[in-house]
Amino acid sequence: MNLFRISADLAHAVAIVILLLKIWKTRSCEGISGRSQVLFAVVFFTRYLDLFTSFYSLYNTVMKIFFLAGSIGTVYLMWVKFKATYDRNNDSFRIEFLVIPSLIFALIINHEFMFMEVMWTFSIYLEAVAIMPQLFMLSRTGNAETITAHYLFALGSYRFLYIFNWVYRYYTESFFDPIAVVAGIVQTVLYADFFYLYITRVIQSNRPFEMSA
């Protein structure tokens, strides 16, 4: 455990809390991709299959439960409780184009060809691209509420901080996981344009966040 990983996990947790509060307080899921949220729920479910079979630490267990509960709660709010506010027309990214390749890669490129290991690898690949429906939705609508932009920035910060965690572990523990690192870099790159727009438009000018179509 190191400061970079803790900071990354906290950024991830903050992103989920921001999203849940946004939906609950506004009673609306406008501007949020339900498809991305379903993908994140799948990511957590397949990654944490070992939750009730292996115990690593209290911190590890609590964070797993939080991420699972948060993702399931978000999906419930979007697809059940506030489904009337969900913009299905603009949230039209074909998620099978993300799920199927991720599963194929997991079956081919993994650390060990065992069910739990393949599922963990699948979750890593899928998480790298799970945000694409959300970014696609933003490109179609052209703008997002500032609170939604904060959620995306916190989510991107989580993955960016994990890169520092991997660098730290490499130099202090000689630990290097090419699957996680490459997938994490791909995910960070997907956020690059959003980060630039967020910093220049939301932070510096306090203007409504907009993305070019």
Side-chain angles (χ1 to χ4, degrees):
M1 189 68 64
N2 60 74
L3 181 61
F4 296 117
R5 179 182 172 184
I6 294 174
S7 299
D9 289 342
L10 288 177
H12 198 179
V14 166
I16 293 176
V17 170
I18 288 175
L19 185 63
L20 288 171
L21 287 177
K22 185 270 182 191
I23 297 174
W24 188 259
K25 286 188 174 183
T26 63
R27 319 296 284 183
S28 169
C29 50
E30 181 181 358
I32 303 171
S33 168
R35 295 177 179 237
S36 272
Q37 296 309 313
V38 167
L39 292 180
F40 282 126
V42 172
V43 165
F44 293 132
F45 179 77
T46 53
R47 181 172 302 172
Y48 301 147
L49 289 173
D50 65 343
L51 184 60
F52 300 106
T53 62
S54 302
F55 179 80
Y56 300 100
S57 68
L58 180 61
Y59 172 86
N60 187 278
T61 300
V62 169
M63 294 304 286
K64 286 180 178 180
I65 293 174
F66 174 81
F67 291 136
L68 273 170
S71 63
I72 293 172
T74 302
V75 169
Y76 168 76
L77 291 178
M78 292 197 66
W79 292 89
V80 180
K81 191 170 183 63
F82 302 123
K83 64 179 181 179
T85 65
Y86 172 37
D87 185 3
R88 289 177 173 79
N89 292 329
N90 286 312
D91 189 20
S92 57
F93 193 95
R94 300 280 297 276
I95 61 175
E96 60 268 29
F97 293 153
L98 304 177
V99 175
I100 295 175
S102 295
L103 182 57
I104 292 174
F105 275 115
L107 290 169
I108 298 174
I109 306 174
N110 53 69
H111 295 303
E112 188 176 5
F113 195 74
M114 296 180 62
F115 177 74
M116 296 285 281
E117 186 65 31
V118 170
M119 288 295 97
W120 177 86
T121 307
F122 166 70
S123 76
I124 295 296
Y125 293 148
L126 185 61
E127 185 184 23
V129 294
I131 198 63
M132 288 184 67
Q134 179 67 68
L135 298 179
F136 176 77
M137 186 177 185
L138 285 180
S139 71
R140 293 199 65 179
T141 60
N143 62 78
E145 296 178 18
T146 301
I147 192 67
T148 306
H150 292 337
Y151 156 71
L152 289 172
F153 184 79
L155 198 61
S157 298
Y158 136 71
R159 181 48 66 188
F160 183 72
L161 286 167
Y162 249 94
I163 292 178
F164 287 99
N165 168 61
W166 294 323
V167 172
Y168 176 85
R169 294 191 65 185
Y170 177 75
Y171 283 103
T172 60
E173 307 172 21
S174 297
F175 175 84
F176 179 74
D177 185 339
I179 291 176
V181 170
V182 171
I185 291 174
V186 169
Q187 187 175 359
T188 304
V189 168
L190 288 176
Y191 284 92
D193 184 53
F194 172 83
F195 275 12
Y196 173 77
L197 291 173
Y198 178 89
I199 293 172
T200 57
R201 298 188 183 186
V202 175
I203 294 181
Q204 293 182 357
S205 64
N206 291 318
R207 290 182 295 173
F209 182 82
E210 297 180 355
M211 287 188 69
S212 300

